[in-house]
Amino acid sequence: MSVEGTWNIVIATPVGQQQAVLRLFSEDGALRGVATGEAEEVPLSDLTLQAADRLTWRQSITRPMRLDLSFDVAVHGDELTGTAKAGRLPATKVTGRRDTAA
């Protein structure tokens, strides 16, 4: 199954749960993505799909604070689970569900 689509993700951070919408799509034969949360939309970089179910990417955010995040998630059908890591901070849990109505 393709990972393309709209995903509602939750990141369990030390300052509380942060929600975002992840849009994954094909463009020019490559997988691309954009994350939207707390009044900002940011492109995903280094987006890689490995073994058809492991997805990794990086993104920089400025809200609620300026961070460079690295994600590593496993995709199982319409659900994903994994971690997000910001620099030297401990990894935090990430969960998500594909928006099948989108």
Side-chain angles (χ1 to χ4, degrees), residues 7-43:
W7 296 83
N8 297 306
I9 64 171
V10 177
I11 307 163
T13 74
V15 296
Q17 289 189 341
Q18 302 295 315
Q19 297 183 5
V21 175
L22 184 67
R23 287 183 293 123
L24 302 174
F25 53 93
S26 289
E27 183 177 84
D28 299 326
L31 185 62
R32 305 270 189 235
V34 174
T36 305
E38 286 222 26
E40 72 178 332
E41 184 174 276
V42 297

Side-chain angles (χ1 to χ4, degrees), residues 30-78:
L31 185 62
R32 305 270 189 235
V34 174
T36 305
E38 286 222 26
E40 72 178 332
E41 184 174 276
V42 297
L44 308 183
S45 62
D46 301 328
L47 182 57
T48 305
L49 180 61
Q50 302 168 4
D53 69 348
R54 182 171 175 225
L55 190 61
T56 60
W57 74 89
R58 296 179 182 278
Q59 70 185 71
S60 295
I61 62 171
T62 59
R63 292 186 180 126
M65 63 185 68
R66 185 175 300 278
L67 292 171
D68 293 321
L69 301 168
S70 297
F71 288 80
D72 188 343
V73 300
V75 179
H76 301 286
D78 291 333

Side-chain angles (χ1 to χ4, degrees), residues 79-98:
E79 295 185 6
L80 62 79
T81 57
T83 59
K85 187 150 175 41
R88 291 186 238 164
L89 297 174
T92 59
K93 183 178 176 183
V94 175
T95 58
R97 185 149 191 80
R98 190 187 318 248

